[in-house]
Amino acid sequence: MTTTSPALLRARVVEWFAREARPLPWRAPDRTPWGVLVSEVMSQQTPVARVEPSWHAWLERWPTPADLATAEAADVLRMWGTLGYPRRALRLQDCARAIVERHGGEVPSSYEDLLALPGIGPYTAGAVLAFAFGRRAVVLDTNVRRVLARAVAGTALPHPHQSAAEVRLAESVLPDDDASAAAWSAASMELGALVCTARAPRCGECPVADLCTWRLAGSPPDEHAGRRRTQAWHGTDRQCRGRVMAVLREASSPVPRSDLAPLWPDAAQLDRCIASLLEDHLAEESPEGLHLPT
């Protein structure tokens, strides 16, 4: 593990962030805690470039948790569009309802209260605490994990599954005061997204390349390469479900199953995917056909 001063590492990365940070709307001075929370849920497994236009549209329509809490589920799923993993949209609505019921419509500012909201896990709770309220919190997404793995632990990539040791490492690097900790969390995440990328790190542009334990060790290969799974898309249930959802979002009336048959060559797989959409409450079925939940 590196003997580099964490303070020097943080100072370099935060200084770089001040120059190079993308002007994302959920970082703007007029951001709201609700806007930050929505951005974090939308950004799970979805690139920022796809999230930004959807985020603007979502906040224009439902600028507060109370607005989303009373929306029709069908409208929520239509607005979610092609962001993927549409269950996130319904979980976000459940979260909005809980905020209204438990916190008077205001996003809570404690880690425990955030973590208790539907669909909010440790990462999202920490991210909202740091980026919405400027508080000290461990924020470990894939980008931050990668920066810490290389710069501090000296490995090419973090373990496929987050460990308690990683959380302890992140805690040890995190500044003690709120403002500095929030700045480090945002800066290290951006460094991982833009420079310290997974497949082709741009080490020549990295503000801490000379401090990076992984580079100083000769950039050894990924010791966990054999354990990593690449997510397929073509021919998967996820792709099939996406096609069905696209039709239901566009439909103004129930869609008979016979009209869905041409969507997918494997009838058994299509039936299985429709059943899973019904089970996940992303669709409903009436005698006339399938439709978005009412």
Side-chain angles (χ1 to χ4, degrees):
M1 187 171 291
T2 183
T3 57
T4 299
S5 163
L8 179 58
L9 184 76
R10 295 192 303 256
R12 293 255 200 102
V13 175
V14 170
E15 181 182 345
W16 168 87
F17 181 72
R19 299 191 311 268
E20 304 294 338
R22 293 168 292 180
L24 300 175
W26 45 87
R27 291 176 178 161
D30 63 349
R31 69 189 182 278
T32 65
W34 173 240
V36 172
L37 191 154
V38 170
S39 77
E40 289 297 338
V41 174
M42 286 186 169
S43 298
Q44 294 166 9
Q45 300 174 292
T46 305
V48 166
R50 290 179 55 203
V51 167
E52 190 167 352
S54 296
W55 182 88
H56 280 294
W58 190 279
L59 268 294
E60 182 176 346
R61 184 160 187 179
W62 299 304
T64 70
D67 296 315
L68 180 61
T70 58
E72 295 290 338
D75 291 337
V76 172
L77 290 169
R78 287 193 180 95
M79 281 292 289
W80 193 259
T82 59
L83 284 176
Y85 301 100
R87 279 177 293 181
R88 290 182 294 166
L90 298 184
R91 286 201 299 268
L92 186 54
Q93 186 173 39
D94 289 339
C95 180
R97 289 170 176 155
I99 290 172
V100 171
E101 293 168 3
R102 303 174 194 172
H103 305 287
E106 299 295 329
V107 175
S109 58
S110 81
Y111 181 81
E112 293 74 16
D113 286 341
L114 286 164
L115 194 60
L117 295 172
I120 302 299
Y123 164 74
T124 304
V128 172
L129 201 61
F131 305 145
F133 298 105
R135 300 274 299 282
R136 186 182 190 274
V138 171
V139 182
L140 267 180
D141 77 337
T142 55
N143 294 310
V144 178
R145 292 181 67 212
R146 192 163 55 249
V147 168
L148 292 176
R150 288 174 177 159
V152 183
T155 58
L157 290 169
H159 192 279
H161 304 290
Q162 184 177 302
S163 66
E166 276 188 273
V167 177
R168 289 194 297 270
L169 175 61
E171 174 71 35
S172 72
V173 176
L174 193 66
D176 292 331
D177 66 285
D178 284 338
S180 298
W184 162 251
S185 293
S188 56
M189 185 178 296
E190 190 78 337
L191 185 69
L194 300 183
V195 175
C196 193
T197 56
R199 295 185 181 180
R202 295 154 58 185
C203 298
E205 301 174 30
C206 180
V208 292
D210 61 320
L211 307 177
C212 178
T213 305
W214 177 61
R215 279 176 53 83
L216 293 173
S219 303
D222 177 17
E223 61 188 67
H224 303 296
R227 302 181 186 180
R228 300 190 193 280
R229 295 182 301 171
T230 56
Q231 279 193 324
W233 167 250
H234 186 72
T236 61
D237 284 6
R238 187 178 163 216
Q239 185 187 26
C240 180
R241 282 164 55 104
R243 289 189 180 177
V244 174
M245 286 297 295
V247 170
L248 299 186
R249 285 196 304 270
E250 294 296 324
S252 57
S253 59
V255 181
R257 285 193 180 230
S258 58
D259 290 356
L260 295 171
L263 292 177
W264 202 254
D266 185 333
Q269 186 180 15
L270 178 61
D271 285 343
R272 182 174 72 246
C273 290
I274 290 173
S276 71
L277 291 173
L278 295 171
E279 183 178 356
D280 290 340
H281 305 291
L282 294 170
E284 294 177 354
E285 190 166 20
S286 66
E288 292 76 24
L290 284 108
H291 53 87
L292 294 178
T294 55

